[in-house]
Amino acid sequence: MTPAPSAAEAVLAERPLTGRTIGILALQGDVRSHAEVLESLGASVKRVRVPEQLAGLDGLVLPGGESTTMTLGIKREGLADPLREAIAGGLPVLATCAGLILLDDDHLAVVDLHCERNAFGAQLHSFECDLAVDGVDGEPVHAVFIRAPRVTRHGAGVEVIASVPHEGIEAGDDPSVVAIRSGNVIGTSFHPEQAGEPRLHMLAFAG
Amino acid sequence: MREESTFRTNVGLAEMLRGGVIMDVVTPDEARIAEDAGAVAVMALERVPSDIRRDGGVARMSDPSMIKGIQEAVSIPVMAKVRIGHFAEAQILQALEVDFIDESEVLTPADHANHIDKHAFRVPFVCGATNLGEALRRISEGAVMIRSKGEAGTGDVVEAVRHLREITAQIKRLQALSPMELSTEAKELRAPLELVREVAERGELPVPLFCAGGIATPADASMVMQLGAQSVFVGSGIFKSDDPARRARAIVEATTHFDDPERVAAASTGLGKAMESIEVRSLPESATLAGRGW
């Protein structure tokens, strides 16, 4: 995790998530960078590997990593139904990159959307950019896209909160949807935690 | 503005692979078995280390057609190996758009003085190390992931453990030194002072530290994760065992639950025979790979 940008520092200083317990799905992936952001916001972090660990959470992060690995882990641990129930029951969720893929109609199917994996190409085409995100005030979010997916279809209840010009392997259908909100769920193609950006965590969990 | 292939996106990919297992594969079929078992990435190569060890001769980068076949077979990241110092092999792998290049002592070194200038590439690199100085030299050349060298192709975890313990012990030592002493220590480690200072402050490498070289069982994976590795590479250990798919799933499970002995016990049960293994101590000096690179 790199140092937070200046607009984020004021948010961090207040430690606004003090007293909240946020779970991070910890079957595989970059659990640590999310834990660092959440802890600097004052939250206590609980790693979730089995269904019992979903109890008593005020929020849940589905982190980046490999969605195939996590999907197999979810099946092995019997986590699919408990995750669906928790999310459908209103648990606040921040899902980043592979986490966003886990929500779609081919995976947990808890949000009405479909993702295209590796939508911008191989690792050579991973990128960073500044991005306006609806609901995030102040300076743009610094977004880190790593072999990132994009949302290619979404239902009426899903609000697009950020998109980028595509420039990817399948150009021509600009712009690409890279962040959504659906009730209690915030999903991003990119990694706010990789840039030390706490405002997406705030959007998901501070309400 | 969009900036592609930055330090952050490359270290970021290494961080996304945390808590996972990277498996050596030699065919698209093996790559699919690895992916279906939960691998976070595959290492595409022509021969696994135990076969390279057995065959002898010069081991080189794989034929691009087999790397492409593996890239088409799976959606997880595909890594491939180049010889130490062989920047032209690395240029080829970058042109093939592999997701990670391993500048590896498992292949025969191509340059006896220089490692690849990895800053000259956009694709991320992983390099092996046996100690902190070596790790920091590789990072200063541009590596965004460090793995222990271990002793590849043996199925003996002892060298991987030695390298992990060496690196973590040297980091702990740095944390106890004063700024003046750090300067002297940097000289002894033959590593840039700036990186030495950064490691002393953070208490860890500035890039992820993974474990490789001799891992053959779920217990091996659990042990090295408990010793501070963030992920594991398994080379010959999977496809040279009796039941590769089952062993692969078991090592993935043991890596996720590395600190839960009951889960590691369950994962270790009934896997059939491990790979044919060689005790590293029985190898002549000339047959060890970890001494390659500097």
Side-chain angles (χ1 to χ4, degrees):
Chain A
M1 192 178 85
T2 46
S6 57
E9 279 168 11
V11 175
L12 290 170
E14 290 172 24
R15 297 176 64 80
L17 297 186
T18 300
R20 314 266 177 110
T21 302
I22 309 294
I24 307 177
L25 184 69
L27 297 168
Q28 184 275 319
D30 191 15
V31 176
R32 241 180 77 175
S33 299
H34 275 293
E36 285 167 12
V37 172
L38 289 167
E39 279 162 5
S40 55
L41 287 168
S44 40
V45 168
K46 193 163 145 192
R47 283 162 175 76
V48 175
R49 297 193 174 106
V50 293
E52 303 79 72
Q53 291 165 335
L54 282 168
L57 297 181
D58 301 308
L60 177 68
V61 171
L62 304 176
E66 283 306 315
S67 59
T68 49
T69 308
M70 289 192 218
T71 300
L72 289 161
I74 285 171
K75 198 173 160 199
R76 183 186 68 221
E77 306 298 336
L79 271 162
D81 284 336
L83 281 171
R84 282 191 195 106
E85 279 160 29
I87 297 168
L91 183 68
V93 170
L94 174 63
T96 58
C97 196
L100 174 63
I101 295 171
L102 294 180
L103 300 173
D104 88 352
D105 50 9
D106 278 345
H107 297 82
L108 292 172
V110 280
V111 179
D112 185 14
L113 56 80
H114 183 74
C115 293
E116 177 191 6
R117 293 182 59 196
N118 303 335
F120 300 87
Q123 173 61 10
L124 277 179
H125 307 290
S126 289
F127 63 96
E128 316 181 33
C129 67
D130 287 332
L131 193 63
V133 179
D134 285 354
V136 175
D137 296 334
E139 67 190 32
V141 167
H142 189 68
V144 183
F145 292 80
I146 300 171
R147 297 177 87 248
R150 61 174 174 155
V151 175
T152 51
R153 184 196 68 73
H154 60 86
V158 177
E159 179 194 354
V160 173
I161 57 172
S163 50
V164 294
H166 191 53
E167 293 178 35
I169 45 180
E170 298 278 341
D173 45 355
D174 282 353
S176 291
V177 173
V178 294
I180 58 96
R181 166 169 226 158
S182 172
N184 52 314
V185 177
I186 303 285
T188 66
S189 296
F190 55 87
H191 296 278
E193 80 288 358
Q194 279 277 325
E197 166 62 72
R199 289 174 294 168
L200 276 302
H201 296 75
M202 290 295 295
L203 199 57
F205 302 126
Chain B
M1 282 323 299
R2 183 181 290 199
E3 252 194 294
E4 282 192 355
S5 296
T6 63
F7 178 74
R8 177 42 47 202
T9 60
N10 281 343
V11 176
L13 178 58
E15 291 176 347
M16 294 309 141
L17 301 176
R18 282 171 167 158
V21 183
I22 299 156
M23 303 182 192
D24 278 7
V25 297
V26 300
T27 63
D29 278 345
E30 286 189 359
R32 277 185 285 264
I33 292 171
E35 182 173 55
D36 291 345
V40 287
V42 290
M43 178 74 72
L45 71 179
E46 248 162 25
R47 292 175 290 170
V48 294
S50 64
D51 287 340
I52 291 173
R53 186 176 283 290
R54 187 198 60 207
D55 297 348
V58 173
R60 308 181 178 90
M61 181 193 81
S62 300
D63 188 314
S65 68
M66 77 73 69
I67 294 169
K68 279 189 199 157
I70 288 171
Q71 285 173 313
E72 282 159 20
V74 295
S75 64
I76 54 179
V78 174
M79 303 185 171
K81 289 184 194 289
V82 298
R83 287 179 265 176
I84 289 173
H86 208 314
F87 55 87
E89 286 186 346
Q91 288 162 352
I92 292 169
L93 291 186
Q94 177 162 287
L96 294 174
E97 302 206 341
V98 303
D99 296 299
F100 237 105
I101 295 176
D102 184 1
E103 187 184 18
S104 176
E105 70 287 355
V106 168
L107 305 185
T108 312
D111 186 323
H112 268 285
N114 307 290
H115 281 253
I116 294 170
D117 171 20
K118 293 164 273 290
H119 289 296
F121 289 81
R122 292 158 55 225
V123 69
F125 277 75
V126 51
C127 287
T130 61
N131 58 50
L132 182 59
E134 208 177 352
L136 296 181
R137 287 194 290 283
R138 297 297 84 80
I139 294 166
S140 72
E141 294 157 2
V144 294
M145 179 198 294
I146 294 296
R147 55 169 176 76
S148 62
K149 285 183 175 171
E151 194 53 46
T154 60
D156 187 349
V157 78
V158 68
E159 291 303 301
V161 168
R162 187 201 307 279
H163 301 157
L164 270 183
R165 283 200 185 274
E166 181 70 14
I167 291 168
T168 49
Q170 285 176 305
I171 291 173
K172 275 186 211 138
R173 183 181 139 74
L174 285 190
Q175 291 181 285
L177 297 182
S178 71
M180 249 171 86
E181 291 168 322
L182 282 179
S183 172
T184 311
E185 187 68 12
K187 217 180 326 171
E188 288 187 4
L189 289 169
R190 294 187 292 127
L193 176 57
E194 202 177 312
L195 273 177
V196 169
R197 283 198 186 120
E198 189 182 344
V199 171
E201 195 175 318
R202 294 168 60 122
E204 62 177 358
L205 296 179
V207 304
L209 172 63
F210 287 12
C211 183
I215 292 165
T217 68
D220 290 346
S222 164
M223 180 189 192
V224 299
M225 292 290 289
Q226 291 186 59
L227 288 174
Q230 295 179 20
S231 278
V232 298
F233 284 83
V234 186
S236 324
I238 289 171
F239 288 98
K240 289 292 174 183
S241 73
D242 267 6
D243 187 346
R246 186 155 180 205
R247 185 166 293 262
R249 282 196 304 272
I251 295 178
V252 168
E253 189 173 344
T255 302
T256 296
H257 297 283
F258 70 92
D259 55 358
D260 181 346
E262 283 176 27
R263 292 297 301 263
V264 180
S268 304
T269 305
L271 296 182
K273 256 186 69 172
M275 67 180 282
E276 196 117 332
S277 304
I278 310 167
E279 187 185 355
V280 172
R281 229 171 36 163
S282 70
L283 287 172
E285 183 74 28
S286 62
T288 61
L289 306 177
R292 294 170 166 180
W294 27 88

